[in-house]
Amino acid sequence: QLDGALDPARLARATRAVIARHAALRTRIDADERGRPHQTVAAADDAAPAFRLVDLRAADATVEAACVRRAIARAVRRPFDFRRDPMLRVVHVRLADARHVLVLVQHHIASDGWSSGLVLRDFARIYRAPASPLPPAPPLRAVDVAVWQRTRHDAAGLADDLAWWRRTLTGTPDLALPLDRPRPPRPRGRGGEMLRSLPAALGVPLRALGQRTGATPFMIAMAAFQATLARLSGQGDFAIGTPIAGRDAHPALDQIVGLFINLVALRADVSDAPSLSALVTRVRARALDAFARQHVPFDRVVDALALPRTVGRPPVFQVMLTVHNQPREAFDAFDDAIIGRMPRAAKAARYDLTLHLWQLPGDGHDGHRGDGLAMLEYDADLFDRTAARRLLDGFTTLFAAGLDAPDVPIAQLPWLPRALRAQVVRGWNDTRVAWPRDASSTIDGRIAAQARRTPDAIAVAEADDPSASLTYAALLREADRVADRLRGLGVGPEMRVPVLLPRSRALVVALLGVLRSGAAYVPLDPGYPAARLAHMLEDAGRDQPARMLLTSRATVDPLRDALGDALDAYRSLEIAFGAGDRGDGLTGLDDLPSIGRDAAAGPIDDPHRAAYAIYTSGSTGKPKGTINAHAGVVNRIDWMQQAFGLTSDDRVLQKTPASFDVSVWEFFWPLMTGARLVMASPNGHRDPAYLVETIRAHGITTLHFVPSMLALFLDAPDLASLASLRRVMASGEALPASLVARFGASLPSTARLHNLYGPTEAAIDVTWWPCPSSDGSVPALGVPIGRPIANVRTYVV
């Protein structure tokens, strides 16, 4: 884009003169009768017209930009006719007498990046002084160099260098970058570009590190790029490609237009997170070894590696680094015109990522002392513009930080820009919520307060026998009976009380009773293998002065022989309702005598005391009990109530085994908010047909599924009739996007699916993502786990 005077006639003469000067631009390619290509170099005065003027001075200002884009696109996308066209075309788009766009298009078969600089340099010289003689034409032509290269490549000496490449690159893993979309089976080459300046102030530390390590600016930039990709991917071993100018064999090659580049793969070694200085030293050694063998054509290297070829992924490397060092004078002004680069009209990406660097700051090339320029070219089928911006910002930030502290391990260098780091570390984690101070800070305290507000409302009902229910007043009364008995038997704060009961209203009373005693409950699933139950009993009772087990005879008697000593170490307190009981009270609480502790002490309103200990799966060894305090659970349920708002009209289905932490919110969220807790039958959570009927019969509004069970549930018939359903929580496994789509298509539109995530070690869930009503808004790579809930910070490390 040029502002100032520009003469079309002189531009046309300059075009013809440049084509006449460089034989490669006059080369024509045709095929013989067998279809084999051959080339001829046309005479200097026998070239087809290559200049065109597009006059847009009369165009309306509102459509000018679109007209310019169209003119550039036509110039770039029009195919070259190899049999007659020169390998250069120039289009002059005249917008006004002093506003112009100049488009120079070269075909890659006859030129490379260095050639572009030569063409632009000669074009500007001839335009400025058309009568002045140019330097003598280069003594060599591109065709001469091609003949020499072919002779060299067929020599026996190539075998040793090819063997070196095979040893060096064998086993190089592909670079697994986090993509925004799955890799398509066939690349379309859609590209995007992102530009950043590299401040001139980087020049001083860049030169200092280069002098200290004997490395070039390219080697330092390569080390910084390797470090950035290692931070982004978590890999320490991968390869980055770079083009080699191929002009080192003879000084005259610097003045020849032609395609001389070769590709070289540099294998990274960042696994031990060295400092930038140490990494530069490694890169220098590998680069020098590779450059000494740069004459081996890259296609022969690929053949020698015998890699499986796939259409969708380039072999050996998927990322490129190109440091451009074209002659600086190529960018001089045309007379008085001020020159500036236009964005490229046809953006394409041959690799996943290509980082281009021009005039690294202060590298001294052609006396340049200003800012450098970085451009990231990315495959738009794989990366969004936001991801490309983040990656380029990461490179420039880490590059500057590494130059400033070259001896600091790269793992400790910042690579997020300051503003983005503040957003990730603090902004996204600014989840502070000050809950009302007038409410109790413990689970049992909140439930007791709710019982005082709605004593006659139904708190707990059994799905298979709705008449076997408990009001809030009855629930609190029976739980306090359990608590008083436990305290009388020596149970107190920070002690752990195992509860071995099937899913029932008695289980709810037992859990709440333990909490009311000040102790923490340990849920034991009666269906667990005996060895696992024995381990949990032994571990839960370790170092405890009082070992109490809440169970029922019907539950524990079949397990006595299998549990043996582990069970004998406990005093059992039976928790069961009598036959035909309708809420008149538990039986079995008077079976054991007191062991001398006053039972008069009331509930303990301490948010930091332990609430429960739930055991992990044991997939990495023995199951481990993870203890959570009341404060975390209360915060979690307060957040859930703020987000979803249960009322007295809601019905929550309790179907998760008590030995999984999801059961914690299933038990206590409805009881803290005045809703009704409906207990599924002990094995009902495995039967989709039973669940459908239970939801319909009891008007269930809220329930939880692990995704694998949700998939089975969505196969059940007549789901559209579940009009009461409002909230379905999914957690415990990755939630597939296809399941989100099935959910939206199968259930009434009033039902919404929510993805939650949290490890057992945390208070249930720590992140949440509301799923869309269909899969249209689900990211292509899957359903996110979302953002942190209230008063929780999350980090990806």
Side-chain angles (χ1 to χ4, degrees):
Q1 180 173 328
L2 300 105
D3 295 327
L6 207 60
D7 183 351
R10 289 169 64 186
L11 290 174
R13 285 196 300 271
T15 303
R16 291 194 297 271
V18 169
I19 293 173
R21 175 173 169 76
H22 295 288
L25 301 179
R26 294 183 274 113
T27 297
R28 296 171 180 173
I29 302 173
D30 207 342
D32 62 18
E33 64 278 0
R34 295 184 180 181
R36 294 176 301 187
H38 62 87
Q39 61 179 333
T40 57
V41 179
D45 58 354
D46 188 26
F51 176 82
R52 188 164 65 94
L53 173 65
V54 177
D55 198 334
L56 296 180
R57 287 179 294 181
D60 187 275
T62 59
V63 297
E64 179 184 276
C67 291
V68 171
R69 287 195 299 271
R70 192 178 305 116
I72 294 173
R74 285 176 178 171
V76 170
R77 293 172 182 164
R78 182 166 64 87
F80 282 83
D81 183 345
F82 284 175
R83 294 171 298 180
R84 63 181 299 274
D85 287 348
M87 295 296 105
L88 167 71
R89 71 169 65 111
V90 178
V91 177
H92 173 202
V93 183
R94 181 188 284 176
L95 305 176
D97 290 341
R99 287 195 305 119
H100 316 267
V101 172
L102 195 61
V103 188
L104 286 84
V105 185
Q106 295 166 243
H107 199 289
H108 216 333
I109 200 171
S111 60
D112 51 22
W114 186 275
S115 301
S116 299
L118 296 175
V119 168
L120 190 56
R121 180 199 64 186
D122 289 348
F123 192 90
R125 284 177 177 174
I126 297 169
Y127 176 85
R128 285 198 307 269
S132 300
L134 287 172
L140 293 175
R141 300 175 304 166
V143 65
D144 302 321
V145 180
V147 172
W148 169 76
Q149 283 183 335
R150 179 170 298 177
T151 303
R152 187 182 185 190
H153 292 166
D154 290 339
L158 188 67
D160 292 340
D161 290 338
L162 196 56
W164 182 90
W165 280 113
R166 189 186 301 112
R167 289 194 305 273
T168 301
L169 296 178
T170 294
T172 305
D174 288 340
L175 181 61
L177 293 169
L179 307 179
D180 292 310
R181 281 172 294 281
R183 188 179 298 275
R186 287 187 172 273
R188 294 185 292 174
R190 291 194 316 116
E193 294 177 358
M194 188 72 59
L195 291 170
R196 285 289 180 276
S197 63
L198 297 173
L202 296 180
V204 173
L206 182 70
R207 287 193 297 275
L209 183 57
Q211 291 168 0
R212 173 179 163 186
T213 58
T216 64
F218 162 81
M219 296 170 183
I220 299 173
M222 173 63 79
F225 195 34
Q226 289 181 356
T228 303
L229 295 175
R231 292 286 293 272
L232 186 66
S233 67
Q235 284 181 241
D237 182 13
F238 51 88
I240 298 178
T242 190
I244 297 296
R247 297 171 182 266
D248 61 329
H250 193 284
L253 295 183
D254 284 353
Q255 302 303 315
I256 299 177
V257 170
L259 177 60
F260 299 129
I261 62 168
N262 188 23
L263 295 178
V264 169
L266 296 184
R267 190 165 180 174
D269 178 13
V270 202
S271 55
D272 58 344
S275 66
L276 182 63
S277 177
L279 187 55
V280 167
T281 300
R282 294 178 192 177
V283 169
R284 179 182 182 276
R286 292 197 171 190
L288 291 176
D289 284 344
F291 295 163
R293 298 163 177 84
Q294 62 175 285
H295 60 279
V296 181
F298 183 67
D299 59 322
R300 295 202 184 185
V301 174
V302 174
D303 290 342
L305 293 172
L307 296 172
R309 294 296 191 98
T310 58
V311 175
R313 184 187 291 270
V316 184
F317 57 82
Q318 297 78 48
V319 174
M320 287 268 288
L321 172 65
T322 302
V323 177
H324 299 269
N325 54 358
Q326 292 99 327
R328 181 70 188 171
E329 65 268 21
F331 300 97
D332 288 346
F334 288 73
D335 287 349
D336 315 353
I338 300 172
I339 187 170
R341 285 184 74 88
M342 290 279 291
R344 289 193 297 167
K347 298 181 177 66
R350 286 177 289 278
Y351 295 91
D352 293 0
L353 299 169
T354 301
L355 178 62
H356 298 268
L357 301 175
W358 284 272
Q359 264 74 45
L360 281 167
D363 67 1
H365 182 74
D366 291 327
H368 175 61
R369 298 290 176 183
D371 287 354
L373 179 66
M375 182 186 79
L376 185 68
E377 175 188 284
Y378 60 93
D379 188 329
D381 283 333
L382 304 180
F383 300 99
D384 289 333
R385 191 166 178 82
T386 300
R389 179 185 301 112
R390 196 174 298 142
L391 194 150
L392 185 55
D393 285 343
F395 167 76
T396 55
T397 302
L398 188 144
F399 191 27
L403 291 176
D404 186 55
D407 296 319
V408 173
I410 57 173
Q412 298 177 22
L413 294 175
W415 79 292
L416 292 179
R418 185 173 301 173
L420 182 57
R421 180 178 175 82
Q423 181 187 43
V424 170
V425 175
R426 293 191 296 275
W428 290 346
N429 280 318
D430 187 8
T431 60
R432 290 167 294 180
V433 176
W435 304 117
R437 293 177 177 271
D438 55 349
S440 172
S441 56
T442 63
I443 300 168
D444 52 289
R446 291 288 188 89
I447 295 173
Q450 182 62 45
R452 290 189 289 270
R453 289 191 294 270
T454 57
D456 298 325
I458 299 298
V460 182
E462 296 195 7
D464 295 350
D465 184 4
S467 62
S469 60
L470 290 172
T471 65
Y472 272 90
L475 170 65
L476 187 61
R477 180 184 68 246
E478 298 305 323
D480 280 342
R481 289 182 64 202
V482 173
D484 289 344
R485 194 73 177 121
L486 288 173
R487 284 196 295 266
L489 295 169
V491 172
E494 300 305 317
M495 291 187 184
R496 296 175 296 280
V497 178
V499 178
L500 180 63
L501 287 168
R503 186 183 298 117
S504 62
R505 56 190 166 138
L507 173 62
V508 182
V509 171
L511 300 181
L512 183 56
V514 174
L515 296 179
R516 296 289 282 169
S517 75
Y521 70 84
V522 182
L524 305 181
D525 190 330
Y528 273 166
R532 179 177 172 89
L533 289 175
H535 166 74
M536 295 166 69
L537 283 168
E538 292 168 355
D539 190 61
R542 186 176 294 119
D543 302 324
Q544 291 213 157
R547 293 190 181 189
M548 293 301 306
L549 171 67
L550 299 188
T551 186
S552 66
R553 290 190 178 90
T555 304
V556 76
D557 283 349
L559 298 170
R560 289 190 184 280
D561 291 340
L563 294 179
D565 293 343
L567 183 62
D568 292 341
Y570 280 84
R571 303 168 71 88
S572 297
L573 188 63
E574 184 179 13
I575 304 293
F577 284 92
D581 181 80
R582 293 294 177 263
D584 294 333
L586 293 167
T587 63
L589 290 183
D590 299 318
D591 290 355
L592 291 176
S594 171
I595 56 174
R597 179 158 143 41
D598 185 2
I604 304 169
D605 195 25
D606 176 7
H608 303 297
R609 63 182 168 92
Y612 62 82
I614 287 180
Y615 279 74
T616 60
S617 64
S619 58
T620 58
K622 286 188 175 181
K624 299 173 182 64
T626 62
I627 300 177
N628 271 288
H630 284 255
V633 178
V634 169
N635 176 78
R636 164 64 174 72
I637 292 177
D638 280 346
W639 164 80
M640 208 168 193
Q641 181 64 10
Q642 182 188 60
F644 304 108
L646 286 186
T647 70
S648 58
D649 295 327
D650 279 296
R651 306 291 184 264
V652 178
L653 184 63
Q654 203 292 300
K655 69 179 190 64
T656 303
S659 51
F660 290 94
D661 60 351
V662 168
S663 66
V664 175
W665 70 254
E666 285 183 342
F667 284 124
F668 302 130
W669 182 26
L671 299 179
M672 288 168 60
T673 56
R676 181 177 299 183
L677 178 62
V678 179
M679 307 296 289
S681 67
N683 292 309
H685 61 284
R686 298 188 178 97
D687 184 351
Y690 169 84
L691 293 175
V692 170
E693 180 55 35
T694 299
I695 293 169
R696 185 186 297 115
H698 292 273
I700 299 297
T701 63
T702 307
L703 78 164
H704 172 272
F705 282 103
V706 293
S708 54
M709 187 61 202
L710 177 60
L712 296 175
F713 175 76
L714 293 179
D715 288 333
D718 204 21
L719 296 180
S721 67
L722 303 182
S724 64
L725 205 54
R726 294 291 181 270
R727 314 167 192 90
V728 175
M729 313 299 175
S731 67
E733 300 168 352
L735 178 63
S738 59
L739 210 53
V740 176
R742 287 180 59 199
F743 183 95
S746 304
L747 288 163
S749 60
T750 51
R752 294 298 302 274
L753 182 62
H754 304 271
N755 193 34
L756 296 102
Y757 165 80
T760 307
E761 290 81 358
I764 320 174
D765 300 306
V766 292
T767 65
W768 164 57
W769 193 72
C771 299
S773 55
S774 69
D775 68 341
S777 301
V778 175
L781 290 186
V783 179
I785 62 170
R787 294 285 179 86
I789 67 169
N791 298 313
V792 168
R793 292 192 295 269
T794 60
Y795 301 97
V796 178
V797 297

